[in-house]
Amino acid sequence: MSTNTLIAVIAAAVVVVIVLSAILWLLARRRHLRDRFGPEYERAVEEKGGTLAAERELHAREERHDKLDIKELPPERRRQYSEEWSGVQEHFVDRPAGAVDEADDLVSRLMTERGYPTEGYQGAVRDLSVRHSRTLDHYRSAHDVRVRSAKGQATTEELRGAMVHYRALFEELLTDQRSR
């Protein structure tokens, strides 16, 4: 075998190894993002119009989240938040729409104290999606009802559902005490 043929075979083998490595890396990254983001992965693919764009977005969310200073809450603060949540639920009987507003406010304050920026609803969704993707649909549903409630378009049953949805995220934020 001539030297040129040997170099061509080695070069082709190197190219094949590089291509296979890139494919395996992309598949591992995709699997990681699917596992981490759960249903949020599919939502991102749909919103971004393709997997590559969605994966870039989700990776950017991870990088942003890694820069956040997410804090654990001391047991006393967790207890105080739990008591406050009980009060919000009690208000639902007399003022369903007001209780939903209070629930949203309480969730926002808890997010802020934990270290999540609360620069608007979309920003909160983006930042929560990294560690709380499984309860993110609860947050979206509750927010949608709250917006409709502000226009006088939500039924009491929908407001009750919003409280259930807020509670799911609230409990997860309160009990998930892993920092970073």
Side-chain angles (χ1 to χ4, degrees):
M1 187 181 301
S2 74
T3 305
N4 288 341
T5 305
L6 184 59
I7 290 173
V9 168
I10 291 172
V14 167
V15 167
V16 167
V17 168
I18 289 171
V19 168
L20 286 175
S21 296
I23 290 171
L24 291 175
W25 179 82
L26 285 172
L27 291 174
R29 177 180 163 176
R30 181 166 293 158
R31 184 176 27 257
H32 162 76
L33 291 172
R34 281 182 187 269
D35 291 346
R36 181 150 202 191
F37 287 93
E40 188 66 15
Y41 179 90
E42 296 303 325
R43 178 184 288 274
V45 169
E46 188 175 309
E47 286 177 0
K48 295 295 180 183
T51 55
L52 291 178
E55 289 173 359
R56 277 192 300 274
E57 164 69 20
L58 296 174
H59 182 69
R61 290 183 193 184
E62 282 183 317
E63 288 179 340
R64 176 181 162 82
H65 188 275
D66 288 347
K67 294 175 184 171
L68 299 176
D69 184 21
I70 305 300
K71 303 169 193 73
E72 293 184 15
L73 293 179
E76 177 61 21
R77 286 299 292 146
R78 290 196 308 266
R79 186 187 61 71
Q80 290 170 348
Y81 272 109
S82 290
E83 289 174 1
E84 200 169 341
W85 180 261
S86 294
V88 169
Q89 287 181 303
E90 289 172 10
H91 295 158
F92 184 82
V93 174
D94 295 323
R95 299 178 306 106
V100 168
D101 289 340
E102 289 179 49
D104 183 79
D105 179 59
L106 185 59
V107 166
S108 293
R109 286 190 289 120
L110 176 56
M111 287 172 54
T112 299
E113 188 166 343
R114 289 287 315 273
Y116 287 97
T118 51
E119 53 196 40
Y121 170 71
Q122 291 301 329
V125 166
R126 176 197 59 224
D127 294 332
L128 287 171
S129 71
V130 178
R131 287 225 339 237
H132 303 284
S133 62
R134 304 284 189 257
T135 54
L136 205 53
D137 279 340
H138 286 287
Y139 186 48
R140 282 188 175 102
S141 296
H143 178 77
D144 289 346
V145 170
R146 182 173 185 242
V147 168
R148 287 198 342 268
S149 173
K151 299 174 186 174
Q153 299 172 342
T155 66
T156 302
E157 185 59 25
E158 289 172 323
L159 294 168
R160 186 199 64 74
M163 290 294 291
V164 170
H165 292 307
Y166 275 124
R167 183 177 61 218
L169 178 59
F170 175 81
E171 288 177 351
E172 185 170 305
L173 285 168
L174 199 59
T175 59
D176 172 32
Q177 292 299 302
R178 301 170 296 162
S179 57
R180 289 207 188 249

